Amino acid sequence: MAKQLLWKTEHMRVLITGANGFIGQNLQLRLRERSDVQVVHFTRNNKSEQLEKLLDGVSFVFHLAGINRPQDSKEFALGNTKFTRDLCHAVVSVARSVGKPIPILYTSSTQAARDNDYGRSKRDAEAALSVTARDPLVPVHVFRLPNVFGKWCRPNYNSAVATFCHNIARNLPIQVNDPQAVLMLVYIDDVIEHFVQIMDGAAHMVGSDSFVEIQPQYEITVGELARLIRAFRESRTSLMTEHVGVGLVRALYATYVSYLPVEAFAYELSRHIDQRGIFVEMMKTPDCGQFSFFTAHPGVTRGGHYHHSKTEKFLVIKGQALFRFRHMQTAQTHELQISGDKPQVVETVPGWTHDITNTGPEDLVVMLWANEIFDRARPDTYYCAL
């Protein structure tokens, strides 16, 4: 479905019910980044009787409030169904009084398809919204969300991702009853992005049964989820990172890091020290090599080797360096004077022996990327002085 503008205003005042919940907090942060949006909060401290007053000047409602783990199952009907009906009544009343549309975006759950107290209460809330949507001044967007994960989700509550991230980050045990059980996940940033697009007037993409679907959705087993999150923790020791730049792994890694206690924001690396200076490995990747840095004392030369296939990129961070090259077949030579004051990448070329000499008065600091992880059994590194 193509996008279309359903409503537009230069300055928007929005109401968020459940503003202090997991999704609400993330939505608040996103909306605070905009100067054209003012947020009105509805939390557990508010009552339904205050809705019409809070709706004064509001042109969009995010209905995120709900009950999912009450002490008494009767609270499902009160917190999910009755409150939604109260909200619908208030929105219709205000919209008609001002003669302007007030859309409602509602976060339901895939549990609404199930025959339990929680599912029925969400399904009844959806029904109340469906009736309300007949009023042309109250467009309704219902999201049946699967498991939403991301920063600030409450651990040890109703999210395996949050619980695993919280516990593993603290070396606490986790419980995996069925490693093959499948989870359907959506990432909080994708959820919020879709919400904001609808708030800004984009037509929603209708999913099955006319509910709005968040894309992308991710499928993962509980066992694989646990393995990945443990790998994130272990990467600080092994230095081997997962593919954290795209897709589900990117989102899970961002989520895991958000659960780190403040005392774990930093971690130490091993330093290899000799008469030339120090060498420190920072990070290794499964298929894109590794990052490190080294220092060289004044007058010290490092390197003096060639590679058949391995390539490297050097960036002088501080100091003065002389890079020297000699072709292993033709004996052609080449030299480069590099300064940390002028960032340049020097790339080694297979078949050329090379070294680097500190020609300055202070320690040389150089960042290094190699396109493959160093393998002592097959190092592809052959010493040959220039």
Side-chain angles (χ1 to χ4, degrees), residues 245-265:
V246 293
L248 175 60
V249 181
R250 170 183 177 271
L252 284 173
Y253 185 68
T255 303
Y256 169 74
V257 172
S258 76
Y259 284 89
L260 289 173
V262 292
E263 59 270 19
F265 280 11

Side-chain angles (χ1 to χ4, degrees), residues 315-321 337-344 364:
L315 176 63
V316 174
I317 303 297
K318 178 183 177 183
Q320 306 288 326
Q337 289 280 355
I338 302 296
S339 170
D341 295 331
K342 182 182 179 181
Q344 289 179 281
L364 177 70

Side-chain angles (χ1 to χ4, degrees), residues 9 38 47 60 62 84 90 103 114 117 135 142 147 158 169 198-199 233 239 291 293 298 338 354-355 366 372 375:
T9 180
Q38 179 185 5
K47 297 185 182 300
F60 197 96
F62 291 100
T84 298
R114 298 191 177 184
D117 290 337
D135 191 310
V142 176
N147 298 286
N158 63 353
I198 291 179
M199 181 194 75
R233 181 189 64 191
L239 304 185
F291 294 87
F293 80 90
I338 302 296
H354 52 272
D355 63 22
V366 181
E372 60 187 45
D375 182 353

Side-chain angles (χ1 to χ4, degrees), residues 146-147 149 158-162 164 178-186 217-226 229 248 252:
N147 298 286
F149 71 98
N158 63 353
S159 167
V161 176
F164 287 5
D178 181 4
Q180 299 306 314
V182 174
L183 294 174
M184 295 301 300
L185 304 174
V186 289
Q217 292 193 21
Y218 302 107
E219 182 176 313
I220 189 172
T221 65
V222 175
E224 176 62 8
L225 174 66
I229 298 174
L248 175 60
L252 284 173

Side-chain angles (χ1 to χ4, degrees), residues 154-354:
R154 182 177 171 183
N156 301 303
Y157 187 61
N158 63 353
S159 167
V161 176
T163 301
F164 287 5
C165 287
H166 176 273
N167 287 16
I168 290 173
R170 290 160 177 77
N171 291 316
L172 299 174
I174 62 171
Q175 183 175 344
V176 177
N177 296 323
D178 181 4
Q180 299 306 314
V182 174
L183 294 174
M184 295 301 300
L185 304 174
V186 289
Y187 183 44
I188 187 62
D189 286 7
D190 297 323
V191 172
I192 299 302
E193 177 62 26
H194 206 141
F195 285 5
V196 172
Q197 288 178 4
I198 291 179
M199 181 194 75
D200 284 337
H204 68 243
M205 301 296 290
V206 177
S208 59
D209 300 321
S210 298
F211 299 110
V212 191
E213 291 186 349
I214 296 293
Q215 295 295 335
Q217 292 193 21
Y218 302 107
E219 182 176 313
I220 189 172
T221 65
V222 175
E224 176 62 8
L225 174 66
R227 185 202 69 78
L228 265 174
I229 298 174
R230 288 192 180 106
F232 297 155
R233 181 189 64 191
E234 293 162 3
S235 68
R236 289 188 164 194
T237 302
S238 68
L239 304 185
M240 180 68 72
T241 183
E242 298 293 314
H243 291 91
V244 296
V246 293
L248 175 60
V249 181
R250 170 183 177 271
L252 284 173
Y253 185 68
T255 303
Y256 169 74
V257 172
S258 76
Y259 284 89
L260 289 173
V262 292
E263 59 270 19
F265 280 11
Y267 59 100
E268 293 186 1
L269 298 172
S270 298
R271 298 197 307 167
H272 305 278
I273 305 174
D274 60 24
Q275 69 277 10
R276 299 170 299 172
I278 67 172
F279 175 76
V280 176
E281 293 179 304
M282 176 187 174
M283 185 177 68
K284 301 175 182 179
T285 70
D287 52 11
C288 293
Q290 66 180 67
F291 294 87
S292 57
F293 80 90
F294 64 84
T295 67
H297 301 313
V300 164
T301 297
R302 303 192 70 141
H305 55 243
Y306 66 91
H307 313 291
H308 287 295
S309 298
K310 180 187 294 186
T311 61
E312 301 161 316
K313 294 179 186 288
F314 294 87
L315 176 63
V316 174
I317 303 297
K318 178 183 177 183
Q320 306 288 326
L322 172 65
F323 284 83
R324 300 190 301 165
F325 298 85
R326 178 168 58 83
H327 196 285
M328 294 301 296
Q329 186 67 24
T330 67
Q332 178 185 352
T333 61
H334 184 62
E335 293 185 353
L336 291 168
Q337 289 280 355
I338 302 296
S339 170
D341 295 331
K342 182 182 179 181
Q344 289 179 281
V345 172
V346 178
E347 191 154 18
T348 64
V349 179
W352 292 69
T353 189
H354 52 272

